[in-house]
Amino acid sequence: MGGINNSAPGLRLLRPPTVIGQFHTLFFGSVRMFFLGVLGFAVYGNEALYFSCDPDKRELNLFCYNQFRPITPQVFWALQLVTVLVPGAVFHLYAACKNIDQEEILQRPSYTVFYIISVLLRIIFEVIAFWLQSYLFSFQVHSLYMCDASALEKTFNVTKCMVPEHFEKTIFLSAMYTFTVITVVLCVAEIFELLCRRSGYLTSQ
């Protein structure tokens, strides 16, 4: 029986053309997704259930929680990951359809520019996500949240709400900020590595 011909034409899985890009994709991206999927659910999974205000009424708790969390952190970070992955996914799909390999990305200026643009878009999306995260969640989760519930009922006015596991959430929040910063640094380093490798390729010709 003949073996499978790996050189047959068709779609090919393209690895990033840089060492930093491969590390980012295979290791850091996986760690980030695992951290969010497993630990994120453990820290934020039951937040709405244990979020309580004074007086402890269900409608008041729901109203204040929606004010406290316009969007849940898990949803925000999942959207961030998907958005950041889109530019690279588009490039790799294009490269797979065109059967572009790593060397061609270095050899052809159009492919190099296309790849750099995809990395720059990742940086832009990460910076926007960092700003949105700081706007929505700040940098620290406090144990008390002052909720303006006057729109719900005039007698409530401003009420105190207890935020469960606020210290764990602060640690997790700091970790997600750190992941974003590391991703941006890796993307910048990847662009420099790609330009250096292309420069070395052109010099050797």
Side-chain angles (χ1 to χ4, degrees):
M1 293 179 61
I4 298 175
N5 184 7
N6 294 325
S7 62
L11 295 180
R12 293 184 298 178
L13 181 62
L14 175 71
R15 291 188 303 170
T18 62
V19 175
I20 295 175
Q22 293 175 25
F23 169 79
H24 183 204
T25 302
L26 299 176
F27 177 73
F28 189 73
S30 302
V31 169
R32 189 175 183 179
M33 286 188 284
F34 173 82
F35 192 87
L36 175 59
V38 177
L39 297 182
F41 179 80
V43 174
Y44 287 95
N46 296 319
E47 183 181 50
L49 183 63
Y50 295 104
F51 185 90
S52 61
C53 302
D54 182 24
D56 190 8
K57 294 184 177 181
R58 185 174 184 274
E59 65 273 16
L60 179 62
N61 292 341
L62 288 174
F63 179 86
C64 289
Y65 182 75
N66 289 332
Q67 188 181 114
F68 176 63
R69 296 283 191 219
I71 181 174
T72 58
Q74 304 100 304
V75 172
F76 175 83
W77 289 318
L79 290 174
Q80 178 185 357
L81 281 177
V82 171
T83 304
V84 169
L85 288 173
V86 166
V90 170
F91 176 84
H92 282 76
L93 181 61
Y94 174 80
C97 292
K98 295 290 186 177
N99 283 327
I100 302 170
D101 58 27
Q102 292 174 304
E103 293 302 319
E104 287 180 292
I105 296 175
L106 298 175
Q107 294 169 5
R108 299 190 59 175
S110 58
Y111 293 159
T112 304
V113 171
F114 191 4
Y115 187 82
I116 289 176
I117 289 174
S118 72
V119 178
L120 287 174
L121 285 175
R122 291 208 310 260
I123 294 174
I124 292 171
F125 290 153
E126 289 283 15
V127 171
I128 293 174
F130 188 97
W131 177 80
L132 284 175
Q133 181 175 324
S134 65
Y135 176 78
L136 292 170
F137 310 129
S138 188
F139 291 89
Q140 182 180 1
V141 180
H142 299 281
S143 59
L144 287 178
Y145 173 70
M146 304 305 294
C147 171
D148 181 7
S150 57
L152 183 64
E153 189 174 329
K154 292 296 183 182
T155 57
F156 287 149
N157 202 6
V158 177
T159 182
K160 293 181 181 179
C161 299
M162 297 290 294
V163 181
E165 301 170 341
H166 64 96
F167 184 67
E168 291 181 12
K169 291 179 173 64
T170 298
I171 294 175
F172 194 91
L173 200 60
S174 300
M176 296 308 294
Y177 279 118
T178 303
F179 282 143
T180 300
V181 171
I182 292 175
T183 298
V184 171
V185 172
L186 287 175
C187 288
V188 172
E190 184 177 2
I191 292 176
F192 277 105
E193 182 187 350
L194 182 64
L195 293 176
C196 289
R197 290 188 62 185
R198 174 163 172 77
S199 177
Y201 169 79
L202 294 176
T203 303
S204 63
Q205 297 302 305

